[in-house]
Each structure stands twice: as C-alpha cells, then as structure tokens.
Amino acid sequence: MSDTAPVTVEATPRTLTLEIFRYNPADPASEPHFQTYTLEETAGMTLFIALSLIREEQDPGLQFDFVCRAGICGSCAMLVNGTPTLACRTLTQSLDATIRLAPLPVFELIGDLSVNTGKWMRNMSEALETWVHSQEAEDLHAMEEKMDPALAESIYELERCIECGCCVAGCGTAIMRESFVGAVGLNKITRFQLDPRDQRSDADFYELVGTDEGIFGCMTLLGCQDVCPKNLPLQSQLAFLRRKMARTGVAMTFQRRPGK
Ligand code: SF4
Ligand code: F3S
Ligand code: FES
C-alpha cells in the first residue's frame, strides 16, 4: 500500500463577467443597454447567488425576481446567453466565464430582468377557462368520484407546469403573435380534456383552442419542449391536441351541413 497522500488539485477560481440588460420602462430617461459586472465565482454558485451579490455589493437598483430558489415558483426565468432558463437552478460552473442575462421576451417588462409573467398567465387562463367545468364541483358537499390512478397520474404529469414562461419566450409563434396562448396554455387545455370531472364537450374545447391563437397557430417549432425546465411532454401533448381538434373541427363542419 502506498503511503503517499493523494494530491488534490484546486481549480483556480474564475472571475465571472456578467453582462446584464438594464432598462426601466417607467423612467423616460432610461435607455435599454447591457451593463457589465465582474465577481469572483465560488463553489456551487448559482445565478441567483451571483445576482444577489451584485445587488448587495455593487448595484442595489438591479431588478430581478426570485421567490423559492428551488425551481418551484417559476419567477426567476430569464434569458441566459439567449436561452430561457430558471436562473435559480443554473450553476455558473455550467456556463462560460462571460454570461449574458436578459429578460424574457413576450412578457411585459417591469425593469431590468424582471417581467410580469403573472399578468400574461392570468389573461391566458381567463381566455381558456382553465378550471374544471362541472355542476358537481359547484356543490361543495358532493362526493368526488374515484379516478383511475393511471389517469390521475397523467393529469398530475401535466399539472407540474410552474408557469415560468420559458416555453412562451422560446416560441417563435408567441413572439410574433401576441394573442397566441403558447405551449403552457395548450398544455393546460389538454389537462382539462383528460379530466373526467370537466363536463365541457370536444366542441367547447374546439371553440377555445381550435384557432390560430390556439393549436392551429402552433408551427411545431418545438422550442417549448427544449426549454421547459420541468421536462413536460409538450411535443406529444401538442400533437395529441392538434389531432383531436382537427377531428372535432371536421365533425362539426359535417354536423352543420344542411340535410345531414
Ligand atoms: Fe414553464 Fe414548462 Fe410550464 Fe412552459 S410548460 S410555463 S416551460 S413549466
Ligand atoms: Fe411554439 Fe412549441 Fe408550437 S415552440 S410553435 S408552441 S411547438
Ligand atoms: Fe422559484 Fe427560481 S426562484 S423557480
């Protein structure tokens, strides 16, 4: 057995350069620009830690959002080197030493890296009526029907969405068409279509998403699938919804034809 102690090689700490988008839309004197900050990287540093240090030590006016720091609340999504990502789950070690941060596109800018995803999500949810539509649900004393565990699992899988907005920011259609409901909205509709408690018909769902703002606006660009931090099966849900809505649309057309 060798008596030589193992040699550990300490990695040289890096100096990070963060180029951060700065703009305050409420200030007429503010101009959009990137501001550069440098800081020493530490072990296990996330973008949340880096931004917090910059705000504490260099620039108390820097705006960004974090709540849970654990990939649960969805509030910290931003463009990291151009890709929509949750900043609290991104280790600086996984990136080059120069990091460019910008706010998510599509959503209303509050300031710097902070955007109003809540307003967009609320508008989308109201437009798509993303709640269970059921007579029984209005009776608080009614017993719930038992649900097949496999079906409950499928619904739960889609419920894991944290409304971070990454799929919207990574979608060319959402960037070009303001009223497009995005993969997040289409995923929600699929979730309610699966739910046996929801008494809406296929025709009701068609009215909601059988449009260019809904499933027929999706050009299958699949950026949504690539950037979803919860790895939701968006690609298969969009394909399922498109087939279902196309069939419903054809059936509705034949039903409306006189004499049929
Ligand atoms: Fe975020 Fe994924 Fe939900 Fe889109 S579907 S809002 S990317 S969690
Ligand atoms: Fe957009 Fe995803 Fe469709 S990126 S175009 S919603 S496949
Ligand atoms: Fe909640 Fe990042 S702070 S998901």
Side-chain angles (χ1 to χ4, degrees):
M1 197 172 114
S2 164
D3 57 359
T4 312
V7 178
T8 50
V9 180
E10 292 286 326
T12 312
R14 296 192 301 176
T15 300
L16 301 177
T17 302
L18 277 84
E19 300 166 350
I20 301 180
F21 180 84
R22 304 299 312 273
Y23 178 51
N24 178 359
D27 177 2
S30 176
E31 291 282 344
H33 65 285
F34 280 89
Q35 192 164 339
T36 301
Y37 304 86
T38 56
L39 81 163
E40 292 306 302
E41 186 175 44
T42 52
M45 178 179 259
T46 61
L47 285 175
F48 163 72
I49 295 171
L51 286 167
S52 298
L53 282 174
I54 290 171
R55 187 153 69 185
E56 273 168 31
E57 296 172 0
Q58 302 183 43
D59 192 340
L62 182 62
Q63 294 189 67
F64 55 91
D65 296 316
F66 288 89
V67 179
C68 71
R69 306 177 210 171
I72 297 167
C73 72
S75 65
C76 67
M78 60 184 68
L79 294 185
V80 178
N81 295 333
T83 302
T85 309
L86 293 184
C88 74
R89 305 297 289 166
T90 304
L91 289 166
T92 55
Q93 281 163 316
S94 67
L95 304 167
D96 288 342
T98 298
I99 303 165
R100 181 165 270 230
L101 303 180
L104 292 185
V106 180
F107 303 100
E108 179 183 298
L109 181 69
I110 295 171
D112 303 334
L113 301 174
S114 174
V115 293
N116 195 343
T117 47
K119 182 176 171 187
W120 193 97
M121 294 293 168
R122 189 171 56 250
N123 289 342
M124 175 275 293
S125 284
E126 286 174 2
L128 297 183
E129 303 182 16
T130 56
W131 55 88
V132 172
H133 287 51
S134 148
Q135 291 298 113
E136 288 76 30
E138 288 168 20
D139 178 1
L140 297 178
H141 303 292
M143 288 291 285
E144 270 205 18
E145 294 280 324
K146 280 189 185 162
M147 194 186 290
D148 173 42
L151 179 57
E153 187 63 35
S154 318
I155 294 172
Y156 174 72
E157 170 76 351
L158 307 185
E159 280 277 353
R160 294 187 302 107
C161 171
I162 55 173
E163 300 192 355
C164 62
C166 286
C167 60
V168 179
C171 171
T173 306
I175 289 170
M176 289 186 296
R177 185 175 296 151
E178 202 179 324
S179 50
F180 182 56
V181 299
V184 55
L186 298 170
N187 176 66
K188 281 179 188 291
I189 280 296
T190 315
R191 175 248 174 277
F192 287 102
Q193 274 209 311
L194 282 179
D195 195 325
R197 296 166 300 178
D198 198 312
Q199 291 164 347
R200 282 177 286 185
S201 65
D202 285 350
D204 293 332
F205 284 115
Y206 185 86
E207 295 296 331
L208 291 169
V209 289
T211 62
D212 286 348
E213 284 68 42
I215 191 63
F216 299 128
C218 167
M219 298 185 288
T220 325
L221 299 173
L222 296 182
C224 53
Q225 171 94 25
D226 293 344
V227 299
C228 176
K230 306 310 279 186
N231 296 318
L232 289 180
L234 298 174
Q235 182 176 359
S236 49
Q237 297 314 312
L238 293 169
F240 166 79
L241 191 61
R242 181 179 291 109
R243 279 200 303 275
K244 184 141 181 121
M245 288 301 100
R247 274 203 303 271
T248 306
V250 170
M252 287 168 69
T253 307
F254 277 105
Q255 277 164 13
R256 283 185 192 135
R257 283 171 65 183
K260 292 280 168 184

